[in-house]
């Protein structure tokens, strides 16, 4: 289905952006699922680490918000729309890379380096989205906050292990 056809069908376009974001989450979970019961379970956990069951619902919600934000940007006729969406897709790649680094390679140190890049990528995405649709940037605020928490958590795992 071409982009022009999607733009005439907002509900389908919304679903496409949410599915794209959720696919990034699913790709990252490939690395996570295999490590949770084995390597990750052997790590010393920071005292503030939430129970494992918290992460799934949080990430599904955050990826849904990301998809809605991208949809809002995609609906705007703005000269920076394409750039904003390209930055968004690029940031999704970095998001998956964190899961690959931390869980796939079992490296809290590499995970910490990648999550620092992810924070910058989220901020760049928010900046680009804000130029096109401020609501879209606002929808990424919970994701930024969660990733800040995840950065501290990642640091905790690195320093304890």
């Amino acid at each position: 289905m071409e982009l022009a056809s999607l733009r005439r069908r907002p509900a389908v376009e919304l679903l496409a952006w949410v599915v794209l974001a959720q696919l990034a989450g699913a790709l990252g979970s490939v690395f996570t699922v295999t490590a949770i019961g084995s390597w990750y379970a052997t790590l010393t956990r920071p005292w503030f680490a939430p129970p494992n069951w918290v992460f799934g619902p949080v990430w599904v919600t955050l990826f849904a918000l990301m998809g809605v934000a991208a949809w809002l940007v995609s609906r705007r006729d703005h000269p920076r729309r394409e750039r904003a969406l390209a930055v968004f897709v690029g940031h999704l790649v970095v998001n998956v890379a964190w899961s690959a680094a931390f869980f796939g390679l079992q490296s809290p140190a590499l995970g910490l380096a990648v999550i620092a890049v992810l924070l910058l990528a989220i901020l760049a995405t928010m900046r680009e989205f804000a130029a096109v649709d401020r609501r879209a940037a606002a929808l990424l605020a919970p994701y930024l906050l969660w990733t800040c928490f995840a950065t501290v958590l990642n640091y905790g795992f690195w320093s304890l292990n």
Side-chain angles (χ1 to χ4, degrees):
M1 185 174 291
E2 67 182 49
L3 184 58
S5 175
L6 275 178
R7 293 200 73 203
R8 289 189 297 270
R9 300 174 65 189
V12 174
E13 186 181 6
L14 171 61
L15 181 62
W17 282 110
V18 171
V19 167
L20 174 67
Q22 294 293 346
L23 281 174
L27 280 173
S29 72
V30 167
F31 301 104
T32 306
V33 168
T34 57
I36 286 290
S38 57
W39 170 77
Y40 183 75
T42 68
L43 298 177
T44 302
R45 298 170 60 88
W47 64 267
F48 55 90
N52 291 345
W53 66 264
V54 169
F55 292 94
V58 167
W59 278 112
V60 167
T61 302
L62 293 174
F63 280 115
L65 289 172
M66 286 182 234
V68 173
W71 174 73
L72 287 171
V73 169
S74 75
R75 303 293 301 161
R76 299 293 300 261
D77 187 21
H78 191 281
R80 287 179 62 178
R81 177 184 69 209
E82 300 305 320
R83 175 185 165 131
L85 293 173
V87 170
F88 172 75
V89 171
H91 119 274
L92 288 177
V93 171
V94 179
N95 184 296
V96 173
W98 179 84
S99 295
F102 187 92
F103 288 105
L105 297 175
Q106 300 178 359
S107 176
L110 186 55
L112 196 53
V114 173
I115 206 167
V117 174
L118 179 59
L119 283 171
L120 295 174
I122 294 168
L123 289 170
T125 303
M126 290 177 78
R127 183 189 68 236
E128 293 298 324
F129 276 18
V132 178
D133 188 318
R134 296 186 80 65
R135 298 170 302 168
L139 283 172
L140 296 182
Y143 173 40
L144 176 64
L145 292 173
W146 179 260
T147 306
C148 287
F149 170 71
T151 302
V152 173
L153 187 59
N154 191 149
Y155 176 80
F157 276 105
W158 173 73
S159 65
L160 292 172
N161 296 281

